[in-house]
Amino acid sequence: MSEAARVPVAELIGVTREYRMGQNLVRALDDFSFTFGRGEYWAVMGSSGSGKSTLLNVLGCVDRPTSGDYKVDGVSTARLDDDELSELRSRKLGFVFQSYNLIPQLNVLENIMVPLFYQDDPPDDGEERARKLAERVGLARRLDHRPAELSGGQQQRVAIARALVNQPALVLADEATGNLDSATALEILDLFDELHAEGRTIVLVTHELDVGERAQHVLRLKDGRIESVARGQRSAAGARA
Amino acid sequence: MKHSTLARTVKLGISSLLLHKLRSLLTTLGVLFGTSSVIAMLAIGEGASEEAQEQIRQLGSRNVILRSVKPREDFATGGGQSVRVLSYGLTEEDLGRIAETFPGVARVVPVREIYEEVRFSDRMLNPRVMATLPVYRDVTGRVVSEGRFLTDQDEVGVANVCVLSYEASRYLFPVASPIGEEIKIGADYYTVVGTTLDRVRQQSDLAGAGKSSAEVFIPLETGRKWYGNMQVKLRAGSREMEEVELHEIVVEVEDPANVEFVANACREMLKRNHKQSDYEIVVPLELLMRAEETKRIFNIVLGSIASISLLVGGIGIMNVMLATVTERTREIGIRRALGAKRHHIVSQFLVECVVLSVGGGLLGVALGLATPLVVEHYAEMRTIITPTAPILAFLISSGVGVLFGIYPAWRAATMDPVEALRHE
Ligand SMILES: Nc1ncnc2c1ncn2[C@@H]1O[C@H](COP(=O)(O)OP(=O)(O)OP(=O)(O)O)[C@@H](O)[C@H]1O
Ligand SMILES: [Mg+2]
């Protein structure tokens, strides 16, 4: 095992995220410490308002903890400025949203390439990578289509390809199947399984039990704290040979 | 990689704008009309002032022109019952004083006007018939187009010859050349020896009210011999005798810097020697300076109108961009989540503003260049497009885009990504 492999992908150390609502102080995350290991596939579950989205936003570096530290791939984010955090997002993180969130005026290929566009030193083979990923998610023949011309399932595939184009250390998905019918949702979950099998680290937020059961490990939240941790509920086929 | 980044940002901006074609078009209108009206107004103003300056320059910027003016009735001298004799105006004495005692004067040319009709066969014309010296041509910058101007021999020989201006010759001789023909001025015959080019149509206050620009020149001596100082003028049905020695004296000053000094000397001299104000002094150089001052004021007014219209155009762009930023909050959130830095968002929206204003500016320049052509064609006004006008207008309109885009772009860039993502 190499040195890099031993560094956890995401490490939360005493993270608190507070929201002030007038007189009230809401703790969306309360002194939260947890480590997501390399190549693991986690489902984050919990009731509405338990802090799942907040956790994911902190993991994705779009939100900053009120206190505590968060390390991505060994890099502490507490002292990074806005530009450095943005660069971190474009290099190390991949996002999949519930409502796909593609950019309407761009075609499929361009949408997949968006994260590369914002890197300080973009790779030269970006377009080639994007084409391969489009093929991978079964959209090779729709590269010049606009999002409005695609079905929900197809749009979510584009979003997954987009989340992978920067070869992220961590793929984050918030209710990625929430807007899809069950058959399409299964296809998307199959895709996550494949990614897991390839060794990607995935954190998937869901409140659907059957979705949660497909993940390798399950993390349950309640009121911004960890309620339970269930490891290895499902064999990680090929994840750790 | 850097230049393709800009190219991509511009392309993205254009495709975002094309998503709302009508809105984008309407947004550009403010800048479009601002830019085009500046260019068109500048061209028309420049043309008009150039025309005025041309006319003044033709009077000779080194000249001081003294003219006889009929004084008000109560100052009129002499007079019988039915035939009144009006005696007024510049005199040979004035001429002599200027020619002999004024320093800095190069040449002095007297002009007498003859109140006669001019005929050739069945054609009749009422031109300005001027008896003058050969140097008149030089001093006033007349250009001979055919034949010759008056000469010293004509003067010495008191010859019955004449020179026609273009307008006079065109009217009397519509087809054939007038050279060598005999025309009738009053009761006498004169041989046409030459023609001159016309000057630009003169404004009435510069060349005597209501006169056509048709001119006929005869030797000064010839005029004196046939008409003396006393002339009959028909006016409002009654006969009127006028005694005027000289109708005009053109004083050419050696050094343009002394024009004002000589003009003042003339003014002083005439004031001292004339009991009534039966003269006027025209100083083309002063008119020229006044015209330039007018132009300067015109430019200031124009500049203010232009800035206001560009300001309005800019506010229009800012207004639409603010609405666009709100409308695209979600997109901003997505881009930020995917790694866009603040400056990426700023440049994205700024580029859209600049595309709008540059687009409006370009269309405005095109319209602004076309308008003077139309005006020139239909209003028969001269217009001049200086190359700086479209360039300046274009640069300013682009600048307006940047200036009024900064705030909306800054608003977009400083949004909280989480909030923006949650926006519906
Ligand atoms: N911007 C905000 N301002 C104030 N309170 C907030 C804000 N965002 C989240 N919260 C609060 O933080 C807590 C956690 O919210 P979060 O969105 O993380 O829940 P969630 O687990 O994702 O819920 P759901 O399953 O409904 O999406 C909630 O009590 C919520 O009201
Ligand atoms: Mg949520």
Side-chain angles (χ1 to χ4, degrees), chain B residues 174-240:
Chain B
V175 277
S177 164
I179 307 293
E181 298 287 349
E182 301 259 305
I183 63 168
K184 210 172 164 192
I185 300 174
D188 306 302
Y189 286 94
Y190 292 76
T191 310
V192 180
V193 294
T195 59
T196 65
L197 290 182
D198 254 353
R199 310 199 293 179
V200 172
R201 188 181 303 281
Q202 290 172 346
Q203 286 171 358
S204 51
D205 64 329
L206 297 180
K211 281 185 182 126
S212 89
S213 79
E215 293 169 326
V216 175
F217 304 97
I218 62 171
L220 186 64
E221 268 315 306
T222 312
R224 269 205 194 110
K225 178 181 161 197
W226 296 117
Y227 295 96
N229 288 344
M230 200 74 87
Q231 287 193 72
V232 181
K233 201 170 196 181
L234 288 170
R235 187 169 287 157
S238 75
R239 289 171 143 244
E240 216 173 56

Side-chain angles (χ1 to χ4, degrees), chain A residues 82 87 89 99 101 118, chain B residues 11 16 330 335-336 341:
Chain A
D82 194 85
E87 182 67 13
R89 290 198 291 272
S99 45
N101 280 350
Y118 293 128
Chain B
K11 193 179 151 235
S16 300
R330 183 80 177 225
R335 288 181 182 276
R336 292 282 279 142
K341 299 174 183 75

